[in-house]
Amino acid sequence: MRAASSPACLSPLLLCLCVLQRSYGTPSPTSPTFTHNQTKLPDGDKDSHHRPKRGWIWNQFFVLEEHIGPEDQYVGKLHSNSDKGDGSVQYLLSGEGAGSIFIINELSGDIHAKKSLDREKKTHYVLHARAIDRFTNRAVEPESEFIIKVQDVNDNAPKFPDGLFSASVPEMADIGTSVFQITATDADDPTYGNSAKIVYSILQGQPFFTVDPKTGVIRTALPNMDRETREMYSVIIQAKDMAGSVGGLSGSTTVNISLTDVNDNPPRFPQKNYQLYVPESAEVGKAVGKIKANDEDLGVNAEMTYRITNEEGAAMFSISTESDKREGIISLRKPLDYEKKKAYSLNIEGVNIHLDPRFSYLGPFKDTTTLKLIIGDVDEAPVFTMDYYIMDVYENAPARTEVGMVTAQDPDSTRSKVRYSIDQNAEGALFSIDVDSGLITTTRSLDREEVAWHNITVMASEIDNPNLVSYVPVTIQVLDVNDNAPYIATDSALVVCEGSKAGQVIQTIRATDKDNFANGRFTFALPEDLPENPNFTLKDNEDSSASVLARRQGFSQAEQELYQLPVVVWDGGEPLLSSTSTLTLRVCPCQRGARTPVCRAQAFLSSAGLSTGALIAILLCVIILLAIVVLFVTLRSKKSKKEPLIISSEDIRENVVTYDDEGGGEEDTEAFDIVALRNPEAAEEMRIRKDLQSEVWRAMGTEALSPSLTFPDEDIHEVIKLKVVEADRDTSGPPYDSLQTYAYEGRGSPSGSISSLDLPELQSELDLSKVDNWGPEVQILSRVFQEKGQQHSP
């Protein structure tokens, strides 16, 4: 590269830059402007009319990649017009690779590359050049940018993408059918020479396939390629650069091409005649055999359907296709009978489902064969003359009434005798059957209203072979007779509004009859043997319903709330049956605006949320509870009346009293004698003494046994206090408040007191004249009283 100093070589771009510089002046030092091929004026010289001379002169630099010479590769030369050759100008290089890859001679400006470069890694380098005065370090030329491009050489072979390539093409495809396109890449520069110009060729796969040398498209090269003959092909494709010329680099890859199936083969039966054994006992609808036609195609192209073409065979048998195994399943359409026909011949055809019109010239895509079915004789169960039987019998008929007859025969040529029986389930017990004739009769009277239909199963078996049993269902309908009287359901009372008028319909009623309504319609009327009802009447609507009418107006709940209306209803059956139902009519104020009469709830009822029936039920419960309480109290009162437990004042601490309640006085107390626990013999003696004393008291009267003792109230209080102190000091006995004490209870009791503390005086002396006649016990007691009397006498 050499510098040129002629101003005539200025390009239009440089001219524009010069004009811009003249328009805006010289750039400031803080923001320098670098311009190619332009000489910077010395500092202080500002001549706007001076045309600058071209300073830097060089072309774009190129360097070959992959240089392997012994010396550094020469790149180019930098030169300034200010360089007089005296060594005063120094050239400096900076930028990408400066100093490491590219070096410059500071005096001559020659640039060399000291390393081998790879264009595929980096295509160009951007560098900056400066020219300074060696002695003053002042810039002779402004800094300028230039590019060093790495020039390509053919050092990269074409490459195919990694991986195994697979492609497919339909069999029997036409010549030139596109199969697959394979593309190789070359890392060399496609804009320079032929280093990256690739040509494709086929190394393996001929003569079946070809490849386009420019595009790499693989195409078929032979017609009628048959998948059934060969399915897979391995094709090797080569890519070569330098346009395929000698010395070019190359790469290769393998493409596996498979032929996909088309329907180009018709089905074929391996044999033209088949034979199959079928027993006559084969079940209808069950498979009796299989048949299969072969098809060399795959998938949907091999799918086929089978059909029986002859009329006789199609009437007795059917054939269906099993999709997975492509077999024809032969099933029995009707029962076989060896005695009627011993063999059948079936003409079976197999046809492809999905046809390809392109290959119709290869022939009809179907095939036929013949299947002969040999029927085998077996001992069969009896056969009923009907598949099911429907019979009827009237209800209420007596036992042993005939219902109907079933018939079965042995289908075999032996014609064995048949015996009948009924499956003894819940309904089978209602009927019996004659074992020889098959006549079905009832075992008891039947009720249609209980069960209207009965289902039984009749069994028939051969006498010679009882294990062969056949079954037949028998349905027996129980026919209706008029044996139930109609009635009117009276679950709730009919509502009569207080404002009802004479002739107004209160409610429409209907009757219910357990018998079949075919017995006729219902008729309603009031009883003729009763006097005419002044409040209500009945109208028969002649449609199995009746209307209850008011005969007057001005009903009042306060005067009378409930009314009774007997109604007679007849059915239309034979014989004619009737019944009388009593309707309850309730008078109440009704709600306004209601479609049907509805009683208006009372205030207290609505607030409590209770109906009249509920209140009545609650009241009855309360009355019953009160009666139970009174009875319980009465029984407790009788139970609490016991004999006095205190015999003498010395035994007072030996008697423990328990109180059931606090309101009944002495009658509500029960004493427990502690002596019974300490000395059972003394307790028994005391019990005898108590019984004796009670007998004497009852014989002599309470007046004779009650001594006349009168004490002032103060003395009684003092006695009680003393007793309390004694009880508190006695640690061996119970406390005083647990003892029964007969003390003063007040005056004015109508029943009197049983205590002798309140008696003013002895009313009468004991008459002992008749004591001797009362027994030894009483005589002893008499002497005791006499001794007591003598001690108190003055």
Side-chain angles (χ1 to χ4, degrees):
M1 304 293 177
R2 63 186 183 87
S5 60
S6 175
C9 296
L10 287 174
S11 66
L13 177 61
L14 296 178
L15 180 61
C16 291
L17 293 175
C18 293
V19 172
L20 289 175
Q21 184 180 13
R22 294 183 59 185
S23 299
Y24 293 95
T26 305
S28 63
T30 57
S31 301
T33 301
F34 300 103
T35 307
H36 289 286
N37 302 327
Q38 178 177 330
T39 304
K40 185 176 180 182
L41 293 176
D43 295 343
D45 295 339
K46 298 181 180 179
D47 186 2
S48 60
H49 301 284
H50 181 267
R51 182 178 180 182
K53 297 187 296 181
R54 186 172 66 176
W56 291 89
I57 300 297
W58 62 78
N59 293 328
Q60 188 175 24
F61 297 140
F62 294 90
V63 59
L64 288 175
E65 67 170 336
E66 305 295 344
H67 177 69
I68 56 175
E71 298 180 355
D72 295 340
Q73 183 180 185
Y74 179 74
V75 177
K77 184 180 182 65
L78 297 180
H79 183 71
S80 173
N81 292 336
S82 300
D83 189 0
K84 304 301 182 180
D86 56 358
S88 61
V89 177
Q90 182 181 3
Y91 298 95
L92 300 177
L93 190 65
S94 63
E96 295 180 340
S100 60
I101 299 177
F102 302 102
I103 58 175
I104 188 171
N105 189 317
E106 295 181 352
L107 296 179
S108 64
D110 293 330
I111 301 174
H112 291 80
K114 65 177 184 178
K115 291 184 179 180
S116 176
L117 304 180
D118 188 354
R119 190 201 66 85
E120 286 72 37
K121 293 182 179 180
K122 190 171 181 62
T123 60
H124 65 279
Y125 296 85
V126 178
L127 293 99
H128 299 85
R130 289 188 303 156
I132 63 175
D133 189 300
R134 181 186 297 272
F135 303 105
T136 63
N137 289 330
R138 295 182 60 186
V140 177
E141 299 288 346
E143 183 175 319
S144 178
E145 179 182 282
F146 65 97
I147 297 175
I148 299 177
K149 295 189 67 176
V150 182
Q151 191 171 350
D152 183 53
V153 297
N154 189 20
D155 60 340
N156 291 279
K159 289 185 178 181
F160 290 97
D162 296 335
L164 184 64
F165 297 97
S166 299
S168 62
V169 62
E171 63 173 332
M172 311 296 290
D174 297 335
I175 295 178
T177 300
S178 176
V179 179
F180 189 71
Q181 183 176 12
I182 188 72
T183 303
T185 58
D186 196 320
D188 293 326
D189 188 359
T191 62
Y192 180 78
N194 294 328
S195 298
K197 188 174 183 179
I198 299 174
V199 174
Y200 299 94
S201 60
I202 185 167
L203 299 181
Q204 177 181 314
Q206 296 174 339
F208 306 104
F209 300 95
T210 61
V211 63
D212 188 287
K214 295 182 179 180
T215 62
V217 176
I218 302 173
R219 303 179 184 275
T220 58
L222 289 179
N224 301 328
M225 297 176 65
D226 191 3
R227 184 199 65 83
E228 288 73 31
T229 303
R230 182 178 178 183
E231 184 176 1
M232 295 295 299
Y233 297 86
S234 292
V235 179
I236 300 177
I237 303 297
Q238 183 190 63
K240 190 174 184 180
D241 60 10
M242 298 300 291
S245 60
V246 177
L249 303 178
S250 64
S252 62
T253 189
T254 301
V255 180
N256 293 324
I257 301 176
S258 62
L259 299 182
T260 58
D261 185 63
V262 298
N263 192 10
D264 59 341
N265 294 280
R268 292 286 182 264
F269 286 102
Q271 300 176 213
K272 288 301 180 181
N273 294 283
Y274 294 91
Q275 186 169 308
L276 182 65
Y277 172 82
V278 180
E280 65 171 335
S281 59
E283 298 182 24
V284 175
K286 299 294 183 179
V288 297
K290 298 179 181 180
I291 195 169
K292 182 179 180 180
N294 298 326
D295 194 322
E296 296 181 355
D297 296 322
L298 301 175
V300 296
N301 297 319
E303 291 181 359
M304 67 186 72
T305 181
Y306 299 90
R307 66 187 185 94
I308 300 174
T309 58
N310 62 319
E311 192 172 318
E312 181 188 32
M316 289 296 297
F317 299 91
S318 64
I319 189 169
S320 59
T321 304
E322 202 278 322
S323 57
D324 293 337
K325 298 181 179 179
R326 303 189 186 94
E327 294 177 335
I329 309 300
I330 302 170
S331 302
L332 187 60
R333 190 187 295 270
K334 296 180 181 180
L336 298 175
D337 191 348
Y338 173 82
E339 287 71 25
K340 293 182 179 180
K341 192 172 181 63
K342 296 178 174 57
Y344 292 90
S345 181
L346 306 182
N347 296 332
I348 299 176
E349 181 181 70
V351 183
N352 276 144
I353 298 176
H354 305 283
L355 300 179
D356 193 335
R358 297 177 300 172
F359 309 107
S360 59
Y361 66 90
L362 296 177
F365 285 78
K366 62 182 179 180
D367 195 16
T368 59
T369 189
T370 301
L371 175 62
K372 186 176 182 180
L373 296 171
I374 307 300
I375 310 302
D377 185 23
V378 295
D379 191 3
E380 303 175 78
V383 178
F384 286 95
T385 56
M386 299 178 64
D387 295 333
Y388 60 91
Y389 292 86
I390 298 178
M391 304 174 183
D392 54 61
V393 63
Y394 279 98
E395 66 173 329
N396 301 331
R400 307 304 301 172
T401 300
E402 294 183 0
V403 179
M405 182 180 292
V406 297
T407 304
Q409 295 179 350
D410 182 11
D412 298 320
S413 57
T414 56
R415 300 297 179 184
S416 299
K417 191 175 181 180
V418 177
R419 296 178 62 88
Y420 302 94
S421 61
I422 294 178
D423 186 9
Q424 293 300 316
N425 54 14
E427 295 187 345
L430 301 176
F431 305 93
S432 63
I433 188 170
D434 187 275
V435 295
D436 297 321
S437 64
L439 178 64
I440 300 174
T441 57
T442 61
T443 59
R444 65 177 178 85
S445 179
L446 303 178
D447 187 1
R448 189 200 70 86
E449 286 70 40
E450 182 180 350
V451 180
W453 294 85
H454 297 275
N455 296 303
I456 63 175
T457 301
V458 176
M459 301 176 291
S461 61
E462 296 181 11
I463 295 179
D464 298 336
N465 190 357
N467 295 326
L468 293 176
V469 182
S470 58
Y471 304 85
V472 67
V474 178
T475 301
I476 301 173
Q477 180 185 8
V478 181
L479 302 178
D480 185 43
V481 296
N482 194 23
D483 58 344
N484 291 278
Y487 63 94
I488 301 172
T490 56
D491 295 337
S492 59
L494 306 183
V495 177
V496 180
C497 297
E498 289 185 339
S500 299
K501 299 178 181 180
Q504 181 177 344
V505 176
I506 302 301
Q507 190 167 334
T508 300
I509 59 175
R510 297 183 182 274
T512 302
D513 195 335
K514 294 182 180 180
D515 293 322
N516 196 330
F517 191 69
N519 287 326
R521 69 178 183 85
F522 299 115
T523 304
F524 301 85
L526 296 177
E528 297 180 355
D529 55 345
L530 297 178
E532 185 177 9
N533 193 311
N535 302 309
F536 304 98
T537 185
L538 192 70
K539 177 187 176 183
D540 192 339
N541 297 326
E542 298 182 354
D543 61 351
S544 295
S545 68
S547 298
V548 179
L549 307 177
R551 299 194 67 176
R552 64 179 180 86
Q553 63 183 8
F555 293 94
S556 175
Q557 186 182 28
E559 296 177 0
Q560 184 175 348
E561 181 181 3
L562 299 176
Y563 292 88
Q564 304 292 332
L565 181 65
V567 177
V568 183
V569 58
W570 294 270
D571 60 16
E574 182 65 35
L576 194 67
L577 299 178
S578 65
S579 67
T580 300
S581 301
T582 301
L583 304 180
T584 301
L585 296 94
R586 179 188 174 199
V587 178
C588 65
C590 295
Q591 296 181 2
R592 295 181 179 180
R595 293 184 179 181
T596 58
V598 179
C599 289
R600 185 171 64 248
Q602 300 297 330
F604 71 94
L605 292 179
S606 61
S607 62
L610 298 175
S611 63
T612 304
L615 290 176
I616 294 173
I618 293 174
L619 184 59
L620 289 175
C621 292
V622 172
I623 293 172
I624 293 172
L625 288 175
L626 289 176
I628 293 174
V629 170
V630 172
L631 180 61
F632 178 76
V633 171
T634 303
L635 294 176
R636 293 289 295 173
S637 300
K638 293 181 179 181
K639 183 178 179 182
S640 63
K641 292 182 180 180
K642 303 290 184 178
E643 291 79 12
L645 299 177
I646 300 177
I647 299 175
S648 64
S649 59
E650 290 79 9
D651 299 328
I652 186 170
R653 291 183 297 176
E654 301 298 330
N655 298 289
V656 180
V657 181
T658 60
Y659 294 89
D660 289 336
D661 59 47
E662 299 178 8
E666 293 87 356
E667 292 182 355
D668 292 336
T669 61
E670 292 182 357
F672 180 79
D673 194 354
I674 299 181
V675 177
L677 297 177
R678 298 178 178 177
N679 191 352
E681 297 179 357
E684 181 65 22
E685 180 182 354
M686 184 176 293
R687 184 184 64 80
I688 296 174
R689 290 172 60 189
K690 288 181 179 179
D691 294 341
L692 177 60
Q693 185 179 9
S694 299
E695 291 294 335
V696 173
W697 283 22
R698 284 195 292 271
M700 299 177 62
T702 57
E703 294 181 358
L705 298 178
S706 300
S708 176
L709 297 175
T710 58
F711 298 98
D713 295 344
E714 294 78 10
D715 296 337
I716 296 174
H717 292 308
E718 292 297 325
V719 172
I720 293 175
K721 291 181 180 179
L722 292 175
K723 294 296 182 181
V724 171
V725 173
E726 293 177 0
D728 293 338
R729 292 178 178 177
D730 188 5
T731 59
S732 61
Y736 180 81
D737 53 1
S738 65
L739 301 178
Q740 181 173 2
T741 304
Y742 294 94
Y744 178 71
E745 296 184 5
R747 302 178 185 274
S749 176
S751 61
S753 176
I754 64 173
S755 175
S756 62
L757 300 178
D758 197 37
L759 296 178
E761 60 182 356
L762 188 62
Q763 299 297 327
S764 63
E765 293 296 329
L766 179 62
D767 186 7
L768 302 177
S769 61
K770 299 180 180 180
V771 172
D772 295 335
N773 299 327
W774 290 355
E777 292 84 359
V778 178
Q779 294 174 4
I780 296 173
L781 183 61
S782 175
R783 290 195 299 270
V784 172
F785 273 94
Q786 289 177 2
E787 294 175 358
K788 292 290 183 179
Q790 293 175 3
Q791 292 176 3
H792 290 285
S793 63

